Amino acid sequence: MNAKDRNSFYQIQGGTLPLDAPTYVKREADEKLLEFAKTTRSNNRVCSILAPRQMGKSSLMIRTAELLRNEGIVCVEINLQGLGGVNSDELFWYGVLDEICKKVDNFLVRDRQQEPLPDKFEAYWESRHNSPAGKRFGDFLKEEILTQIDNHLVIFLDEIQSLLNWGLQNDFIAVIRSLSSDVNNAVLRKLNFVLLGVAKPSELLTEKGVAFNVGDRLEIGPLTGECKELWGGIAAITGEVKEAIATILKWTGGQPFLTQVLCDLVVSKGCKFQAFTWEEHIQRIVEEEIVEKWRTLDLQSHFPEIEKCFLGIENETSLKALKTYVTILNDESVKFEETNNSHWDLLISGLVIKEATQSGNILKVTNPIYARIFDNDWIKSIEEQINLNSTVSTENELEEIAQELGEFDLPKVNLTKEKEIKSMSTRTQQIEQIIQQRSPLVAKIKTVEENLDKLAGELVSLEQFRHRLMPLVNNPLAKDFLSGFDFLSLRGKVTENLSQLEFLRKRLSRDTLNIGVVGLMGQGKSTFLQRISGLTDDVIPARKGGACTAVRSTIYHNEGDTYAEVILHSEESFLQEVIGPYYQELGLGVVPETLSDFAKPLPATNFGGSNSTLESMYEHLRGDYHDNLHHYKHLLERGSPRKIKVAKEEIDKYVSQPRDEVGFWLGFNWV
């Protein structure tokens, strides 16, 4: 899944696509945002783009800004997360205005005698310290910045969901609304705001007296059409690019990041097997590389972040959203309601999208991949987690009440609900103990994160104090010394460290213990796994002499009966993945497309003793696979690989590779 080790044509590392990225696909939102941003308006000078993660909001922003600059329009892009620890409206508006001044100043052409905007801003901000920070922001924008701009100023504010963490959304919207609706000040016609982020409209306001009705709301939709910008990578493996891209878009529903990922996967798998249609080929890739592995893949936490949307909100709210999603998942029509919070929860998670119909907008699952991953079993597991969290929360509250009652010497009452608890094995306890040992480290990381967040806020305060102090210092050496400090750059480094700590904290907060075992043949891998799992030879063969384990196996700890889920090769996958590499390495020509073709005499070779490795490979192909085809071909059905459940006593025949004294196979199920 990771393209770090190869030069991928596609952007699968997440984040904003570079301006020169060839895979950026234009959508209807590109034209609409560009038109809004460069239009002079008497009011309604705000456009908001609220959408799920990885929908291309930031990529749209930087491209629109570049096009506007080419037309002589001044653009300022600010990522609010980059402001660091903001704990007051004073720090917020100071940080935003400081960024605007620095970036606008780079566009202005002025006389040497004119004071730079950042310096003028510092003096202005301090001289009006008794005025509310939001008003100082608006006044300086009108009096000092817009008056110096001949054409137009567009301010892009990205990641506005940060306002929710800081509790500043009401103040922010009030200031933006006042600047947007002022029809009397002509200088404001030069100004437009673009707000981008992952938030519901209702989340941006907590006061009932204020409504989020500021300006235009622009929706950023999925990728549609031929998407020729994506053709470059696929063209390297097939001439049927249009059909391949259309099939990929069908599976991803045009979700931008997921589309880039699936395109990269298709390219990494190489040429399609001729017997497969594109639908069959890509379905197989989706099932094997995404659906079966979504919890263990990196993918910039794409799928776990969707899941987190339902575990990170109030239990009652989450259950309502899941109830609506069940209806949508079962292909029942759900009409979108603008004021329905559950509908917005689903939309902002990215799990569903709006689709226009003659009777109005309806909600539907974003794509078939989501439908396979976030299915009814997933819904059931999430509901169980929510109910468990609710029970624990209730019991904690009751325990606190009991403790408070105890202070008044009232009769003690056992408020803990009686539960039926299954006995836990020693191994389960050991695994849980190991996982619990991570908890203190996670707590320490959280403490460091909190301290660094506070430090980021203090660095902003120091930068403010430095600017106020500079005009008061007459000593040249002292002034040079003060000029050498850049507290905002330090704040940026602190923010980078916070991101790294967040990644580490999430990794250590996992509720699983994963162990990978690799090594040469006969080094004791299977024996080691037996020791730590408690399983025996009938599940993990570790017998003397030769290779015992013939297939890749993933072992999960499970309370209950031991069993195996075995994925059997189809005829097509067996020929492509098992036999194909032999033909390619040995130069035997075209890989057989059917088992009947493979049953025919193998092509002759002429190594003449010059290459013992290739001779050994050929004998392995002939003696093991070709000559024994009649023993195992009944296991290989045409179509997609199938999955079967196998009882413990039958596992060995699907896992081990037994041979007799001469070296001939004794069983063939493992093939």
Side-chain angles (χ1 to χ4, degrees), residues 333-575:
S333 179
V334 173
K335 189 174 181 180
F336 172 67
E337 300 172 6
E338 187 75 28
T339 57
N340 190 315
N341 238 348
S342 296
H343 291 185
W344 278 107
D345 284 327
L346 291 171
L347 284 170
I348 211 65
S349 74
L351 196 50
V352 306
I353 58 171
K354 284 191 291 184
E355 183 179 82
T357 66
Q358 290 183 347
S359 59
N361 290 325
I362 63 169
L363 298 176
K364 70 170 192 175
V365 182
T366 302
N367 57 58
I369 295 178
Y370 288 175
R372 275 169 163 73
I373 291 175
F374 304 108
D375 58 7
N376 286 301
D377 289 338
W378 174 82
I379 294 170
K380 184 178 179 181
S381 71
I382 294 299
E383 288 176 338
E384 289 174 351
Q385 290 185 58
I386 292 172
N387 290 330
L388 177 61
N389 293 340
S390 178
T391 301
V392 171
S393 176
T394 302
E395 290 179 356
N396 289 340
E397 291 174 4
L398 291 173
E399 185 64 30
E400 291 176 4
I401 294 172
Q403 291 175 359
E404 292 178 5
L405 291 174
E407 295 178 5
F408 297 95
D409 295 327
L410 294 175
K412 292 185 179 179
V413 181
N414 183 7
L415 295 173
T416 304
K417 189 179 179 181
E418 290 187 5
K419 303 175 185 177
E420 182 180 341
I421 304 176
K422 296 182 178 180
S423 61
M424 195 175 291
S425 70
T426 303
R427 183 158 284 102
T428 301
Q429 293 172 342
Q430 290 173 342
I431 292 173
E432 290 189 350
Q433 286 172 2
I434 293 173
I435 293 173
Q436 288 172 3
Q437 287 174 5
R438 302 172 179 171
S439 298
L441 183 56
V442 172
K444 288 181 181 179
I445 292 175
K446 287 182 179 179
T447 301
V448 174
E449 285 179 307
E450 292 171 359
N451 292 336
L452 285 178
D453 200 50
K454 292 178 182 177
L455 176 60
E458 294 300 326
L459 287 171
V460 174
S461 300
L462 285 172
E463 180 69 11
Q464 293 176 342
F465 182 74
R466 186 182 71 86
H467 276 285
R468 292 197 298 268
L469 187 61
M470 285 288 288
L472 306 177
V473 177
N474 297 319
N475 187 309
L477 291 177
K479 200 155 193 170
D480 286 344
F481 180 75
L482 285 174
S483 299
F485 287 102
D486 188 351
F487 293 108
L488 295 182
S489 293
L490 288 175
R491 183 194 62 185
K493 293 179 180 178
V494 170
T495 303
E496 290 177 7
N497 282 312
L498 279 169
S499 298
Q500 294 172 3
L501 283 171
E502 181 184 16
F503 172 80
L504 182 60
R505 172 171 49 79
K506 288 180 178 179
R507 189 180 183 90
L508 291 173
S509 298
R510 293 173 179 171
D511 58 0
T512 58
L513 182 62
N514 304 325
I515 302 174
V517 182
V518 296
L520 298 174
M521 184 179 73
Q523 297 300 304
K525 300 183 297 297
S526 297
T527 303
F528 171 69
L529 286 173
Q530 285 186 5
R531 291 290 180 85
I532 65 173
S533 68
L535 298 172
T536 55
D537 277 340
D538 53 356
V539 177
I540 308 177
R543 308 179 188 100
K544 294 182 179 180
C548 298
T549 308
V551 296
R552 183 178 67 240
S553 304
T554 304
I555 302 166
Y556 299 92
H557 178 69
N558 175 56
E559 289 294 319
D561 296 334
T562 299
Y563 68 92
E565 288 185 349
V566 179
I567 300 175
L568 297 176
H569 270 297
S570 64
E571 178 177 345
E572 296 87 346
S573 67
F574 173 74
L575 291 170

Side-chain angles (χ1 to χ4, degrees), residues 223-433:
L223 308 183
T224 57
E226 294 186 341
C227 296
K228 290 187 176 180
E229 296 86 348
L230 301 174
W231 287 24
I234 301 292
I237 63 166
T238 181
E240 301 171 341
V241 183
K242 185 175 181 180
E243 183 180 354
I245 291 294
T247 307
I248 289 170
L249 290 172
K250 174 184 173 183
W251 276 98
T252 65
Q255 205 288 334
F257 177 69
L258 202 54
T259 300
Q260 298 263 0
V261 168
L262 187 50
C263 283
D264 179 76
L265 272 174
V266 171
V267 172
S268 71
K269 293 297 180 182
C271 298
K272 175 179 70 68
F273 193 59
Q274 293 182 3
F276 281 7
T277 64
W278 276 108
E279 175 63 31
E280 292 169 335
H281 181 64
I282 292 175
Q283 178 179 350
R284 183 176 169 200
I285 292 174
V286 168
E287 294 288 354
E288 293 181 355
E289 299 297 332
I290 298 180
V291 176
E292 292 183 7
K293 302 178 181 178
W294 73 272
R295 284 196 181 277
T296 57
L297 291 174
D298 183 11
L299 282 185
Q300 301 299 306
S301 299
H302 181 78
F303 299 111
E305 285 294 331
I306 294 176
E307 183 177 69
K308 192 193 299 182
C309 290
F310 298 90
L311 296 174
I313 57 179
E314 293 181 2
N315 295 335
E316 185 178 350
T317 303
S318 183
L319 289 172
K320 285 181 179 179
L322 285 172
K323 184 177 180 181
T324 303
Y325 177 61
V326 170
T327 305
I328 299 169
L329 185 64
N330 293 325
D331 293 328
E332 296 181 36
S333 179
V334 173
K335 189 174 181 180
F336 172 67
E337 300 172 6
E338 187 75 28
T339 57
N340 190 315
N341 238 348
S342 296
H343 291 185
W344 278 107
D345 284 327
L346 291 171
L347 284 170
I348 211 65
S349 74
L351 196 50
V352 306
I353 58 171
K354 284 191 291 184
E355 183 179 82
T357 66
Q358 290 183 347
S359 59
N361 290 325
I362 63 169
L363 298 176
K364 70 170 192 175
V365 182
T366 302
N367 57 58
I369 295 178
Y370 288 175
R372 275 169 163 73
I373 291 175
F374 304 108
D375 58 7
N376 286 301
D377 289 338
W378 174 82
I379 294 170
K380 184 178 179 181
S381 71
I382 294 299
E383 288 176 338
E384 289 174 351
Q385 290 185 58
I386 292 172
N387 290 330
L388 177 61
N389 293 340
S390 178
T391 301
V392 171
S393 176
T394 302
E395 290 179 356
N396 289 340
E397 291 174 4
L398 291 173
E399 185 64 30
E400 291 176 4
I401 294 172
Q403 291 175 359
E404 292 178 5
L405 291 174
E407 295 178 5
F408 297 95
D409 295 327
L410 294 175
K412 292 185 179 179
V413 181
N414 183 7
L415 295 173
T416 304
K417 189 179 179 181
E418 290 187 5
K419 303 175 185 177
E420 182 180 341
I421 304 176
K422 296 182 178 180
S423 61
M424 195 175 291
S425 70
T426 303
R427 183 158 284 102
T428 301
Q429 293 172 342
Q430 290 173 342
I431 292 173
E432 290 189 350
Q433 286 172 2

